């Protein structure tokens, strides 16, 4: 329930803010219209504190009202981020266990053509909001719209990618909806009709199982490459629900002025890559890094770097793996000339297979490696490249 | 104007975390604590902002009474006053409840323009408290901020890291900035003289009563999430380390990878 108190002066600020066009000023006072979704953006907009949202106390809600498993669709320049399909695969598995539907939430401009692809990877239903102002992600705008949709349609579970965008959006929504959120889940399952969320903590030293018993929706973020996408079924036709929205930019408090790409067009960000070849201080020089890049090219992987290599200016920050860089979990991680400081291990130990090449047999990287080669990288890496090349030629 | 910096005391990552097998909880005794490095970067950036536009820096932390040492470090580094939020009722708070408690305290401090925090703490690694706090305070947020480009009394322009590179974001004040240190950042220790002076600075202790907070929204009782089990991660099979001739090693590794279907 939104309540307008007598402090309202009819200034119209909230009208500008409401992304659903659900407020009008009538006789000098704001009035909430029937299409209000309870997103709460007007409460934040009002400088006089004249708009109040009556919230139910934090007690068990009627959980049976909440149905369906939702996935927030993250877009990139042209298309959908892979992690979205991975989440849809997981969401479908959870929804089937619950006997509920898998839904995708897609915001953007002219994004309707993507609905087919989302359906192919598992979405039964797509909530689609299109508007030129939704082209670029914005915290305020996206929170209002998705928060509104969740309040209205009441999903039992919502999954977000643990990307920069997902990690900006999901906690904001959790606070708005007064519900739980579990970051970076590596396992999701259904236990007694609840979402069982498993995640590593303390740099992967312990695992925790987490439930959100009394609040809905149950929300979690998942990193790229953690879940498996299912093979697409292009015959599947989605139900598309068009959500009319009118996001206004006047009320927006934080605006992106400029986006700079340090990643080349064809490059995948290392968080999304299936194979990463990383180099560290042991590489020795910027020129020697070519060796790492050559290996990456042969195996079809992205190039990563340790903090030391980034600090030495051999690779840009966007390649950095580790605590002050990116956390990755590819199928294959090849660490070359990286000793394996705890800060680096934290960022890559969830990788499925780890290969380490280092001349020091005592290097801590060998403790987490599935395969280790002790030797001079300048000899070993060219040999590896040759071996991989042979395999490639065989095919 | 008051600039707020939210900080957390975290276990030193150089020490291995142990689980008490009887109680299934973390062994915290004897584990040295440090100021979360992300928060230290936030504080140091805040000091730079203060040097430019003036104001006062209040460092806020929620935690056990031992977290006092972390706040003293903040004072020694340059914060003007410290607020420690400590109460048994706060124990077991998840990110939702933690951010709520912090928001009640910050609203009590009043008259704030920028709230700085680290993007994440190195123990929990959730990165959720910042955005949740921004919501509870009713202010906007910019996450993954690596650099503050310009700032005045009305707005800030910051450089934030995106998945493909960087974004330049302009945010009106008040705003919450979740700071992400550049690779070159190394947390430093303040000189002894500053440590001694820190003890003279204003140190405020607030418990639930002093905060006037709704107790049902604190700690485990107010937390939507429940940790039902903690356990050591599944043991990884010990790796195969080749120390012999690299030619042989390379062949074997490539064979193994082929066998696992990693290479397509």
């Amino acid at each position: 329930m939104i309540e307008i108190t007598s402090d309202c002066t009819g200034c119209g600020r909230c009208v500008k803010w409401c992304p659903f066009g659900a407020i009008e000023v009538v006789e000098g006072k704001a009035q909430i219209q029937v299409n209000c979704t309870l997103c709460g953006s007007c409460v934040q907009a009002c400088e006089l504190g004249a708009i109040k949202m009556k919230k139910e106390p934090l007690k068990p809600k009627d959980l049976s009202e909440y149905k369906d498993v939702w996935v927030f669709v993250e877009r990139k320049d042209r298309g959908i981020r892979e992690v979205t399909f991975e989440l849809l695969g997981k969401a479908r598995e959870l929804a089937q266990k619950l006997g509920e539907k898998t839904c995708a939430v897609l915001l953007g401009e002219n994004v309707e053509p993507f609905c087919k692809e989302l359906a192919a990877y598992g979405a039964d239903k797509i909530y689609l909001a299109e508007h030129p102002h939704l082209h670029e992600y914005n915290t305020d705008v996206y929170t209002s719209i998705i928060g509104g949709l969740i309040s209205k349609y009441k999903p039992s579970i919502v999954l977000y990618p643990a990307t920069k965008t997902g990690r900006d959006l999901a906690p904001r929504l959790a606070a708005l909806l007064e519900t739980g959120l579990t970051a970076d889940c590596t396992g999701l399952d259904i236990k007694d009709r609840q979402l069982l969320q498993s995640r590593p903590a303390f740099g992967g030293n312990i695992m925790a199982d987490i439930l959100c018993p009394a609040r809905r929706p149950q929300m979690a973020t998942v990193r790229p490459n953690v879940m498996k996408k299912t093979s697409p079924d292009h015959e599947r036709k989605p139900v598309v629900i068009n959500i009319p929205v009118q996001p206004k930019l006047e009320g927006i408090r934080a605006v992106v002025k400029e986006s700079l790409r340090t990643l080349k067009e064809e490059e995948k960000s290392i968080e999304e890559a299936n194979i990463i070849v990383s180099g560290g201080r042991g590489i020795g020089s910027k020129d020697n890094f070519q060796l790492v890049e050559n290996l990456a090219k042969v195996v079809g992987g992205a190039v990563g770097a340790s903090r030391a290599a980034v600090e030495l200016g051999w690779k840009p920050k966007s390649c950095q793996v580790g605590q002050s860089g990116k956390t990755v979990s590819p199928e294959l991680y090849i660490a070359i000339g990286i000793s394996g400081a705890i800060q680096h291990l934290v960022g890559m130990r969830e990788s499925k297979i780890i290969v380490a090449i280092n001349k020091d047999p005592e290097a801590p990287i060998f403790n987490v490696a599935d395969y280790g080669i002790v030797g001079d990288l300048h000899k070993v890496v060219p040999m590896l490249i040759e071996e991989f090349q042979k395999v490639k030629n065989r095919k | 104007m008051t600039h707020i910096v939210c900080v957390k005391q975290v276990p030193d990552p150089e020490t291995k975390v142990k689980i008490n097998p009887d109680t299934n909880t973390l062994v915290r005794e004897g584990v040295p604590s440090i100021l979360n490095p992300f928060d230290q970067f936030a504080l140091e950036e805040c000091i730079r902002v203060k040097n430019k536009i003036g104001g006062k820096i209040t460092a806020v932390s929620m935690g056990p009474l031992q977290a006092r040492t972390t706040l003293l470090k903040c004072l020694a580094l340059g914060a003007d006053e410290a607020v420690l939020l400590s109460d048994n009722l706060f124990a077991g708070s998840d990110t939702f409840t933690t951010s709520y408690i912090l928001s009640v305290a910050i609203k009590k401090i009043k008259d704030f323009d920028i709230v700085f925090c680290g993007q994440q703490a190195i123990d929990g690694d959730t990165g959720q408290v910042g955005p949740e706090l921004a919501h509870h305070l009713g202010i906007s947020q910019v996450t993954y901020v690596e650099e503050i480009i310009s700032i005045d009394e009305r707005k800030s322009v910051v450089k934030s890291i995106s998945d493909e590179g960087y974004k330049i974001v302009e945010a009106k004040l008040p705003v919450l900035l979740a700071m992400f240190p550049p690779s070159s950042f190394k947390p430093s220790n303040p000189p002894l003289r500053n440590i001694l002076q820190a003890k003279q600075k204003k140190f405020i202790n607030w418990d639930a009563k002093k905060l006037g907070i709704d107790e049902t929204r604190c700690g485990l009782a107010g937390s939507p999430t429940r940790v039902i089990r903690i356990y050591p991660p599944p043991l990884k099979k010990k790796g195969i380390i080749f120390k012999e001739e690299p030619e042989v090693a390379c062949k074997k590794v490539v064979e193994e990878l082929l066998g696992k279907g990693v290479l397509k």
Side-chain angles (χ1 to χ4, degrees), chain A residues 265-314:
Chain A
E265 197 69 34
E266 71 277 12
E267 270 180 318
K268 264 189 179 181
S269 78
I270 53 170
E271 285 134 307
E272 292 178 288
N274 286 322
I275 299 179
I276 298 172
V277 185
S278 268
R281 191 189 296 273
I283 300 295
S285 73
K286 192 169 184 167
D287 292 342
N288 286 352
F289 229 90
Q290 194 58 46
L291 214 50
V292 177
E293 302 193 7
N294 291 348
L295 180 56
K297 207 167 177 186
V298 174
V299 294
V303 175
S306 72
R307 171 169 158 168
V310 171
E311 271 176 29
L312 289 162
W314 299 345

Side-chain angles (χ1 to χ4, degrees), chain A residues 44 55 58 74 76 81 136-137 139-140 163-165 167-168 171-172 174-176 178-184 191 196 198-199 201-215 250 252-263 269 271-272 274-275 299 307 310-311 317 320 323-326 331-332 342-343 346 349 351-355 361 366-374 380 383-384 387-388 390-391 394-395, chain B residues 11 13-19 26 28 37-38 94-96 99 119-120 122-129 131-144 146 157 159 161-172 174-175 180-187 216-217 221-234 236-244 246-247 249-251 253-254 256-258 260 262-264:
Chain A
Q44 304 225 350
K55 285 193 175 166
L58 268 178
E74 188 171 337
K76 55 181 181 184
R81 256 185 219 287
E136 183 136 27
Y137 169 76
T139 311
D140 286 345
T163 52
K164 301 274 186 304
T165 299
R167 294 181 124 215
D168 186 85
R172 191 87 197 189
L176 169 73
E178 303 199 313
T179 192
L181 174 66
T182 306
D184 299 333
K191 187 192 178 198
L196 179 70
S198 310
R199 75 177 300 258
F202 291 95
N205 284 312
I206 60 164
M207 293 290 297
D209 283 353
I210 296 165
L211 293 176
C212 178
R215 304 292 301 176
E250 291 95 327
I252 301 309
R253 301 170 288 187
V255 192
V256 175
K257 289 285 174 192
E258 202 183 332
S259 289
L260 311 161
R261 250 191 112 96
T262 51
L263 208 63
S269 78
E271 285 134 307
E272 292 178 288
N274 286 322
I275 299 179
V299 294
R307 171 169 158 168
V310 171
E311 271 176 29
K317 167 99 181 174
Q320 191 188 329
Q323 195 160 68
S324 50
K326 293 175 172 177
E331 292 285 323
L332 173 61
I342 179 79
Q343 288 80 358
V346 164
R349 68 194 302 163
S351 308
K352 311 268 168 2
I353 299 180
I354 297 168
V355 177
F366 287 125
N367 296 334
V368 300
D370 298 278
Y371 305 104
I373 303 176
V374 180
V380 176
M383 283 176 199
L384 258 186
E387 284 301 321
F388 280 121
K390 274 189 210 159
V391 171
R394 246 186 272 158
K395 284 181 186 168
Chain B
E14 306 290 341
T15 344
K16 193 150 169 70
V17 180
K18 290 193 196 83
I19 300 174
L26 288 178
R28 288 187 187 265
F38 287 72
D94 67 2
T95 61
F96 178 83
S99 57
Q119 171 63 36
Q120 65 217 52
I122 58 168
D123 54 351
D125 255 333
T126 70
Q128 289 174 187
V129 171
E132 293 192 83
L133 174 58
H135 173 82
H136 289 307
L137 291 171
I139 63 175
S140 64
Q141 72 195 39
V142 188
T143 52
Y144 292 96
E146 194 184 80
V157 179
K159 180 175 164 193
I161 308 164
S162 72
D163 285 303
E164 271 80 29
Y166 292 100
K167 285 187 295 191
I168 306 297
V169 184
E170 185 180 301
K172 290 177 199 153
V175 66
F180 197 94
S183 317
S184 55
F185 176 73
K186 287 198 177 67
T216 62
R217 298 193 62 172
S223 295
T225 59
R226 289 279 180 279
V227 176
I228 55 165
R229 189 165 78 99
I230 64 170
Y231 49 99
K236 224 180 148 167
K237 219 179 77 201
K238 201 141 177 54
I240 309 169
I241 312 295
F242 298 95
K243 292 181 184 169
E244 69 253 51
E247 288 92 344
C250 289
K251 264 201 179 74
V253 168
V254 174
E256 289 275 348
L257 294 178
L258 269 180
K260 303 239 172 189
V262 187
L263 299 169
K264 277 159 205 145

Side-chain angles (χ1 to χ4, degrees), chain A residues 19-75:
Chain A
F20 295 94
I23 310 178
E24 277 176 33
V25 175
V26 182
E27 292 168 2
K29 205 175 164 190
Q31 216 172 63
I32 308 291
Q33 308 297 306
V34 284
N35 53 335
C36 168
T37 62
L38 296 175
C39 76
S41 52
C42 52
V43 179
Q44 304 225 350
C46 184
E47 288 176 333
L48 301 166
I51 307 180
K52 303 254 187 277
M53 179 145 64
K54 279 200 200 155
K55 285 193 175 166
E56 27 187 337
L58 268 178
K59 61 168 192 209
K61 282 186 173 181
D62 181 5
L63 305 183
S64 63
E65 274 182 78
Y66 291 79
K67 275 194 183 62
D68 295 347
V69 183
W70 285 21
V71 171
F72 167 68
V73 178
E74 188 171 337
R75 291 178 295 108

